[in-house]
Amino acid sequence: MTRGIEDLVSADATLVSRRAFTDEAVYKIEKERIFGRAWLYLAHESELKASGDFVTTYMGETPVIVARGPDGRINASVNSCTHRGVAVCHVERGHASRFICPYHNWTFGMDGRLLAIPQQGKIERPVDKARLGLRQVPRVESYAGLIFGSFDPDVAPLEQYLGNMRFYLDNYFARFADGVEVVGAPHKWRLAANWKLPVENQLGDVGHGPFLHGAVLGGRDAIAEIEAYGFNMVPEPGHGAAIRLLPPETPLASRMWGSENGSASAFSAETQAFLLDTQRQMEDRLGSVHARIKGLTYGVYPNFSFLWANSTIRVSHPRGPGKVEYWSWWVVPAGAPESVKRELQGVYNGFFGPGGLLEQEDSDAWAQQYAGSAIDYMDDHPYYYGLGAGEEEVHPLLPGVAGSCYNEHYARQFYLRWQRDIAEGAAR
Amino acid sequence: MEQQHAIEQFYYREARMLDDRRFLAWLELLTEDVRYVIPTRHIRLGHLPARGGDEFHLVERELGGAEEAALREDRLPLLTIRAKRALAPNAWAENPPARTRRFITNVEIEDDDACAGEVRVLSNFMLSYSRHGADNHLYSGQRQDRLRRSEDGFRIAERRIVLDWNVVTAPTLALFF
């Protein structure tokens, strides 16, 4: 066991050791006790509409195929042949009736069952195919179209795991009458950073916006709005939702999704009408608190993030302590006309993704934070996460614990849960 | 031959302009209606109806279509923001700036439409990128350009950049290729 693992996070989590991001031994424990147990985002149901539809992804570093099987149920299988370990699927997504391992052509169904061993006819002793299916992810559950999986058969049900986070997920994912749709395969890029750094940023680090992104966001009304009405919510320890709760008298056009930075006025009349109509319908359906909420960034423990305004789901796939493969999906209202979707596209890829105006700066900052975390002789200089400590409180309208937009309690609660998971895992 | 030479010279000047970080001068090489696109590049199985033929593994099928969010889908306003931002002191991903070197090869005139005053040109690029100390990267890909003739030379009306990566392994795609 790693010595001093219980000291990586101080009791009130205002201090987090740099080694939490760089230590190989800590990373091994994370893979076992966090990525081996937590609910991890797999895919969106809109990507798997019909039996035979599949996508490939990772749970931590473990490659998995997520597919809608012949019975219509969504399942997840580890993408590794049970014969010699070769991946049975080498593409990102598609529609198929079976997966064939290239090496000896063992053939698996869309539910991971072993269908055929081509060599079997030439040997005499029977092989029990029922025992040789692809390794199944034991728990696969969905919430609001978001499919998660866990390697822990005893993990709490997803709805319970999400807890109060469901309220904030609903605010986006239940907003559109026809639901949402993930379009295309994700953007994927490598970052020279620890997996927790992008996660932490999107749990609630609105505080970096006016500074790191000063050249783009400096002086914008959006910053004033966040400072006036912004909250860092901790729905449950480890999850986060940075939002704005606008005054009830805010005009419809200023509180609707799609109205960031006055961008809505640049849209066509058709798109503006769609956004207004969507907002009206949402307010009728979800009620007066949701009507006042404009989201910013969300995080579901451990490595799922969502950017509300920019409509993108992201997952921070670890690749060792110092590498991340970051995946980013564009999400659209399923019922929107094509022309509206085209106009909304720039709200995502103009700012986010590997070529985005803002994400370019975030990516560089995370890599530099990782470099800072790896400096020697700095064990006595942990990172300070104390901004706003003790100022968080229960809010009458918003589920969870509320802090101001610069309160770092979202990170404190994340690292406390993280510390508990890696320390307590040993006792299980 | 003359046309080929003129286009090559245009590309070399453009590459030098970008390597010399004269981004505002580079903006002058774009048309008002410029489209600047980097599609995603997917990993897909071959197209079964075309098995046995060159169409089976068509590159075009690996590129994200119009309905998908491209890695970049820039018009002049966004390109202008990028160029100006790169010259701002608080643009933390650009200051200090990257050291870049662009190599443009395989320049091939695909179609010369004299009536429209436009030339479709393919070229390959390599871009060497170095910013933090020894953290050096090499980009490679193809550019599919539509160049428009103007009184004082060519203007870029469209550039589509076909990267050779599925997972982007360099630190940023917020560059001019």
Side-chain angles (χ1 to χ4, degrees):
Chain A
M1 259 338 88
T2 317
R3 215 163 47 83
I5 197 169
E6 63 280 358
D7 300 328
L8 293 172
V9 181
S10 68
D12 59 1
T14 57
L15 299 173
V16 176
S17 168
R18 295 170 189 237
R19 280 177 47 223
F21 306 104
T22 57
D23 193 315
E24 284 278 354
V26 168
Y27 177 66
K28 275 195 183 143
I29 294 173
E30 285 178 331
K31 284 215 287 187
E32 178 197 325
R33 298 178 196 166
I34 295 177
F35 291 96
R37 288 175 184 161
W39 282 106
L40 302 173
Y41 179 73
L42 297 177
H44 190 266
E45 285 177 358
S46 63
E47 298 175 277
L48 303 166
K49 287 184 180 133
S51 285
D53 287 351
F54 70 90
V55 298
T56 52
T57 185
Y58 291 89
M59 294 173 71
E61 293 198 72
T62 303
V64 294
I65 306 168
V66 189
R68 199 178 279 278
D71 58 358
R73 283 184 52 244
I74 290 169
N75 64 87
S77 311
V78 175
N79 187 5
S80 176
C81 183
T82 46
H83 180 223
R84 289 293 181 273
V86 174
V88 300
C89 178
H90 286 88
V91 301
E92 296 180 290
R93 56 178 46 226
H95 180 87
S97 56
R98 67 200 64 196
F99 297 113
I100 303 173
C101 176
Y103 202 1
H104 302 87
N105 285 190
W106 284 33
T107 300
F108 301 87
M110 302 308 287
D111 51 5
R113 277 186 306 131
L114 177 58
L115 300 178
I117 301 174
Q119 300 79 15
Q120 208 177 358
K122 304 288 183 203
I123 51 171
E124 287 173 16
R125 220 172 127 183
V127 181
D128 183 4
K129 289 210 288 280
R131 290 179 50 212
L132 290 169
L134 298 177
R135 173 167 184 197
Q136 291 300 293
V137 176
R139 294 284 295 277
V140 176
E141 291 174 19
S142 294
Y143 183 77
L146 305 164
I147 308 163
F148 289 76
S150 169
F151 281 118
D152 180 358
D154 302 320
V155 70
L158 178 64
E159 293 214 3
Q160 187 184 326
Y161 179 93
L162 293 171
N164 284 322
M165 189 66 208
R166 290 174 299 173
F167 173 87
Y168 301 96
L169 291 172
D170 286 347
N171 181 268
Y172 184 88
F173 291 95
R175 162 172 299 260
F176 307 99
D178 299 317
V180 303
E181 196 177 357
V182 164
V183 183
H187 294 165
K188 303 176 179 179
W189 67 105
R190 288 272 175 127
L191 299 166
N194 182 266
W195 66 272
K196 296 186 286 301
L197 299 177
V199 167
E200 176 195 310
N201 173 288
Q202 290 165 19
L203 271 175
D205 187 358
V206 174
H208 76 286
F211 306 104
L212 178 67
H213 305 307
V216 178
L217 300 179
R220 293 284 193 110
D221 293 346
I223 300 297
E225 186 180 82
I226 290 167
E227 290 184 346
Y229 307 120
F231 286 103
N232 276 339
M233 298 304 305
V234 175
E236 305 288 343
H239 305 329
I243 60 153
R244 291 149 289 183
L245 182 68
L246 299 172
E249 65 274 16
T250 307
L252 192 69
S254 304
R255 61 177 194 261
M256 69 187 184
W257 175 77
S259 66
E260 293 303 320
N261 303 335
S263 59
S265 56
F267 290 140
S268 67
E270 185 195 17
T271 299
Q272 291 190 46
F274 173 84
L275 294 174
L276 283 166
D277 191 47
T278 300
Q279 184 72 18
R280 271 188 218 102
Q281 287 185 34
M282 182 282 280
E283 296 188 0
D284 286 346
R285 214 169 47 246
L286 299 183
S288 61
V289 180
H290 281 294
R292 294 168 52 194
I293 292 179
K294 270 209 304 193
L296 290 159
T297 65
Y298 289 176
V300 173
Y301 185 86
N303 67 336
F304 168 94
S305 307
F306 179 70
L307 299 180
W308 188 98
N310 304 87
S311 227
T312 165
I313 290 173
R314 33 261 323 275
V315 170
S316 180
H317 293 300
R319 293 290 181 270
K323 281 254 180 302
V324 170
E325 196 165 301
Y326 208 47
W327 288 20
S328 165
W329 292 259
W330 181 45
V331 180
V332 298
E338 283 307 311
S339 58
V340 170
K341 292 180 192 168
R342 292 285 72 69
E343 278 197 274
L344 294 173
Q345 199 181 99
V347 180
Y348 163 55
N349 63 3
F351 296 95
F352 288 92
L357 275 177
L358 299 180
E359 193 127 35
Q360 173 194 12
E361 295 171 331
D362 292 315
S363 300
D364 189 49
W366 299 329
Q368 293 310 302
Q369 188 183 345
Y370 181 74
S373 308
I375 299 172
D376 290 332
Y377 320 123
M378 295 293 273
D379 277 358
D380 57 349
H381 278 69
Y383 292 140
Y384 183 70
Y385 283 89
L387 290 186
E391 296 169 16
E392 51 274 11
E393 55 192 14
V394 171
H395 189 280
L397 298 176
L398 302 170
V401 180
S404 75
C405 73
Y406 294 132
N407 189 320
E408 294 174 332
H409 72 132
Y410 63 89
R412 290 191 290 276
Q413 294 302 323
F414 177 90
Y415 288 113
L416 284 173
R417 178 168 182 177
W418 174 84
Q419 166 93 345
R420 212 159 44 235
D421 277 2
I422 59 174
E424 284 176 10
R428 285 168 58 112
Chain B
M1 279 308 286
E2 210 173 291
Q3 180 85 311
Q4 174 81 20
H5 180 72
I7 290 172
E8 287 177 4
Q9 289 296 308
F10 172 74
Y11 281 158
Y12 299 155
R13 272 196 302 276
E14 184 204 4
R16 186 160 54 84
M17 215 175 247
L18 290 169
D19 291 338
D20 289 346
R21 305 167 187 147
R22 288 184 288 128
F23 302 121
L24 300 183
W26 179 76
L27 287 177
E28 300 295 318
L29 300 183
L30 310 175
T31 64
E32 291 285 323
D33 59 347
V34 63
R35 273 192 82 220
Y36 193 98
V37 184
I38 309 180
T40 44
R41 182 112 186 223
H42 301 309
I43 300 178
R44 305 187 69 151
L45 288 172
H47 185 51
L48 276 183
R51 73 186 90 184
D54 283 342
E55 304 267 302
F56 185 56
H57 285 314
L58 211 59
V59 170
E60 195 60 34
R61 285 187 59 254
E62 295 174 7
L63 305 180
E67 76 289 353
E68 291 185 32
L71 292 162
R72 293 247 315 259
E73 170 85 61
D74 295 7
R75 302 288 180 141
L76 190 58
L78 184 49
L79 291 164
T80 305
I81 291 172
R82 290 184 192 278
K84 290 188 171 162
R85 202 262 308 254
L87 301 168
N90 63 342
W92 301 112
E94 310 273 8
N95 186 17
R99 298 167 292 284
T100 60
R101 195 65 60 197
R102 288 162 175 79
F103 302 87
I104 310 300
T105 71
N106 304 58
V107 177
E108 184 185 344
I109 299 174
E110 204 187 8
D111 180 53
D112 191 345
D113 185 344
C115 291
E118 290 192 347
V119 194
R120 288 185 174 276
V121 189
L122 302 175
S123 59
N124 290 351
F125 70 89
M126 288 190 91
L127 192 161
S128 149
Y129 177 96
S130 175
R131 183 158 178 261
H132 294 295
D135 187 25
N136 305 326
H137 298 269
L138 202 55
Y139 299 69
S140 74
Q142 183 193 50
R143 307 189 305 185
Q144 303 173 345
D145 284 1
R146 192 157 48 82
L147 302 180
R148 192 175 296 160
R149 284 192 194 79
S150 77
E151 282 174 8
D152 54 347
F154 292 106
R155 292 283 180 277
I156 301 162
E158 185 173 348
R159 176 162 291 168
R160 188 169 180 244
I161 292 135
V162 177
L163 289 175
D164 298 331
W165 291 323
N166 172 246
V167 178
V168 175
T169 52
T172 182
L173 289 184
L175 295 169
F176 302 125
F177 293 95

